[in-house]
Structures are given as C-alpha cells and as structure tokens.
Amino acid sequence: MRSPTSTGTSQAWAALGADASLLDRVSYGGPSGGLPARLPVMELARSTVAVCSLAAAELTSVRTGRPVPRVRVDDEAVATAFLSDRLVRLDGRAWSTFAPLSRFWRASDGWVRTHANYPHHRARLLAALGVSGDAREDVAHSVAGAIAERTAREVEETVYAAGGLAVAARGPEEWAGSEQGVLVAGQPLLTTARIDDAPGRVLGDAALPCAGLRVLDLTRVLAGPVATRTLALLGADVLRIDAPQLPESQEAHNDTGMGKRSTTLDLGDATDRRIFEELLREADVVVIGYRPGALDRFGLAPDALAERRPGLVIAQLSAWGRYGPWHERRGFDSLVQVATGIAELEGSADAPGALPAQAIDHGTGYLLAAAVLRALTEQQRTGGSRLVRSALTQTAHWLVHGLASAPGGEGGFDAGRRLTETDSPMGRLRYALPPVSYEGGPVDWGRPPGVWGRDAPVWIGV
C-alpha cells in the first residue's frame, strides 16, 4: 500500500487551486506494472486520475450537501485506461493507432518524427517532400529517401510550412534552451481564471456531478476527447461537433466517443452556424482542442463566448502552448515527446524511443476534465464565467522535471481485468473501463459510442 498522498497528486491539486485538506480523501492501490518507463509515467497517470476523481467527488459534495466522497485510485485501472486506444476492439478486430507514415525517419543529421494519420496531413507531408503518393510507388521508401537528404530541422520547417506535421528529435537540454522550451518552463501545469462577473448557475441536487450539464465538445484526438469522455461518464450531455470536411477515424471514436453523441456542422455555413449558436445558448461548458486562434473567426474566443453565454465554463487545449514561436503549430503527443527530449530519454544509442502509452495526451485529458469540474465548483460559490487552459508541452515538462517515481503496488498487472464489452451500432465493442472513481460514483458510461457524425445537433430532451 502506498502513502495516502502522492506528490504528483499534491502538485496537480495545487495547480487546480483546490483545498489541500481534501487530499486526505484519496488512497491508492492495485498493481502498477502497466506503464514501465524510465520517466515516472505511472506517477503522472495516477496523479491526473486522482485529481480528476477528487474534483468529481468535490462537485458531488457541492451539489448534494453531503461530505466529499472518498476516492480510491487503482493503478491497474489507471494503466489500462491510459492504454485504451490500443486495447479497444470491434468484433475482435484491433486497429493501428498510427498510420504507416506516422513514424521516425533518419535525416542527414539525426531523427525526425512525422504524423500522417489524417489524409490531409499525409497529403501535405508528401507534397512538402516532393513525393507523389502514387499507389504504384513505394511511398515509404520515397519518403525515407527524401528525408535522408535533408537535415532534421529542414524537414521540420519544410513540412510545417506546408501545413503538415514533422518534428526534429531534440535532447532535453536542447529543448530547454530553445525559445519555446524556456517559455514552457515558465508556465504552470495549467491555468484557471474567472473572466467576468456573470452570476453562477445554481446546480441542483444530483447523484452525478455533471448531471443536467451540457457540453459542446470541439476537440479531436486524443487529450480533448479523453476530457469530454470523462465529463460524459460523470453525467454530462456531451455533443461532439466536427467540421464535415475534416474526416475522423471511426476507430479512434470507438475509444474516445464513449458516453457522447457526435454530429457535424460547418461553421462557415449560415444554417449550420445558426444551429451552433442555438446549441451554445443552452451550453454550460465548451471544450476547444483546435490550434490557438483557429476558431476565433467564428466567435469562439473566450471573451466572445462568455459575452453570448454568460456563466460559461470554457476549456482550451493546445499542443505547444498559447505563446511563443510554436503557438500556432499543429501537434500531437508523439511529436511533443520528440521535441521535448522525451524520445531521447526513452530511447537508446541507436534510435529514439517512446513512452509506453500516449500518456501526455491521456494525462492532459484528465487534468483538463479536473479543471472543468473545479471551475464548476468555484462557479457555484462565487459565480463568473470561467476559463481553463492546458497544453501538452506543460504536461510533458511536469513529467520530465516535476515528478518523481512513486513506489509500486502489489501483484501483477492484468489489463484484462479492467476491460469489458458491449453492443454498439458498429458491432461488439471491447473497451477499457473508466479509471475515475469515488464512493458512489459511476463505474461505466451510460451509452456506447455511435457512428461518428451521425447524431442530430440537438441537446437530449430538446
């Protein structure tokens, strides 16, 4: 049995501006061998799930008037959930979380990692490298040759200039000395703020902390959907909205769409924009995971949202942070690992490595959900529209520089004990059970994911 207080949990709970005395409500246990790494990945995982669970328990107490329920963090449940995107099965079939061109490549002076899971990112990568992408051509061989002729930084800049994704591998010292790295190091783990004096919405007594709340989910793989999946677990009506011209992987949605509904709206179309504004008028939370500023032209900047819907909780997620020379760049967990030196720390003399899970994504997702829950709690007390922000690089910095490994639990890790199955519109779905847990809390989602984009753009009950 570990100490009743994890250092990582204490750090994350303090970053949320919460009452430190509530940490006594948290205990830990279970086998912890599921996320082996040189860096303290398991401590990041258990800490982020712990604060999310405690924030849910705290909001439950606010709504019911009863004491804050106790929280139990089980390492086996946590590790399984952090591997959920790799463990999901549909009718027994697995899917690959990375496309063939999403991988490490040797450049003339080092290593580069690319991300080409989406068709438009793949097309931009090939265009930037001068590779045709003809089906008759060995595309991977051509990409390897084009990258081998360039320096890693040249590939990074050329691909990003074309709207694609490629990052040169850096060591931790190199990242720490860069302009973006210096700025990241100066940021807190996440930020929370009250942005106006709007009266808070009074939430009535309810068994689930998010019961009756409506969440607009404007996020894509993976941290944002993990956050909104968690809010759905806790009782919120979560409606994910994507642009119809941006394809999404149904396989990814099978994992992160648990408990949610999904629709498509083109905010550049007058009719769809009107529907969105109608949804916004009754929303309680908006979660945005697009690049900083990418949706501002649609009136989705925090001040504009709060002006139209006073008392809103707005959560913003970015890859690189909303500051510095990289703030407008696209990014994913795998690329953040490469840029910040994590890939070097987890690699060998022969090649970069990777964390045992997309732990930066998952961890940031639980942190973001915790921040939303805490914003709702503070809103009950003092009102105001609320803004919470997080970034993958800030979570990565915490992993490398802020956390220490904690003692492990007893017994052998077995992900199978934390998996279950259900029927879904797509077939028989196997998935990881949620790790967020507190006394009297939910143990599973109320509904499986549906076919991506097929739900009506309305709130439940309307």
Side-chain angles (χ1 to χ4, degrees), residues 40-110:
V41 175
M42 194 64 229
E43 178 65 0
L44 178 144
R46 76 166 62 95
S47 299
T48 56
V49 169
V51 296
C52 189
S53 301
L54 187 55
E58 180 189 28
L59 183 55
T60 298
S61 173
V62 168
R63 297 194 66 170
T64 63
R66 294 190 286 272
V68 175
R70 292 193 175 275
V71 168
R72 173 73 168 177
V73 180
D74 184 281
D75 275 0
E76 189 169 69
V78 170
T80 303
F82 268 60
L83 294 165
S84 66
D85 48 303
R86 303 180 186 184
L87 296 173
V88 67
R89 299 287 186 273
L90 184 63
D91 293 330
R93 298 189 304 273
W95 68 289
S96 175
T97 54
F98 290 104
L101 298 186
S102 296
R103 45 167 279 198
F104 285 106
W105 310 85
R106 276 195 178 276
S108 64
D109 63 345

Side-chain angles (χ1 to χ4, degrees), residues 246-318:
L246 288 179
E248 180 56 294
S249 161
Q250 178 65 48
E251 289 82 2
H253 189 63
N254 291 344
D255 172 42
T256 59
M258 296 297 304
K260 300 189 280 190
R261 294 177 299 119
S262 167
T263 193
T264 60
L265 291 174
D266 181 356
L267 298 186
D269 175 82
T271 300
D272 282 6
R273 180 66 179 274
R274 184 171 62 253
I275 293 171
F276 178 84
E277 293 296 327
E278 291 170 355
L279 292 167
L280 177 63
R281 278 197 290 272
E282 297 186 9
D284 301 287
V285 178
V286 176
V287 185
I288 301 174
Y290 289 76
R291 286 178 300 128
L295 301 181
D296 287 3
R297 68 187 186 278
F298 299 118
L300 297 181
D303 290 345
L305 284 168
E307 182 178 352
R308 304 204 301 287
R309 178 60 166 155
L312 196 64
V313 173
I314 304 154
Q316 291 183 316
L317 166 73
S318 61

Side-chain angles (χ1 to χ4, degrees), residues 51 62 80 118 158 187 216 228 238 245 251 261 273 277 293 310 313 330 333 336 364 378 382 404 413 428 446 455:
V51 296
V62 168
T80 303
Y118 289 115
T158 300
Q187 294 291 318
L216 284 176
T228 52
V238 178
Q245 64 271 24
E251 289 82 2
R261 294 177 299 119
R273 180 66 179 274
E277 293 296 327
V313 173
R330 298 169 178 84
D333 179 312
V336 170
T364 304
E378 293 300 326
T382 60
F413 171 79
R428 188 69 177 171
D455 293 295

Side-chain angles (χ1 to χ4, degrees), residues 439-457:
E439 286 182 348
V443 297
D444 200 352
W445 288 274
R447 59 185 294 160
V451 178
W452 173 81
R454 294 288 183 85
D455 293 295

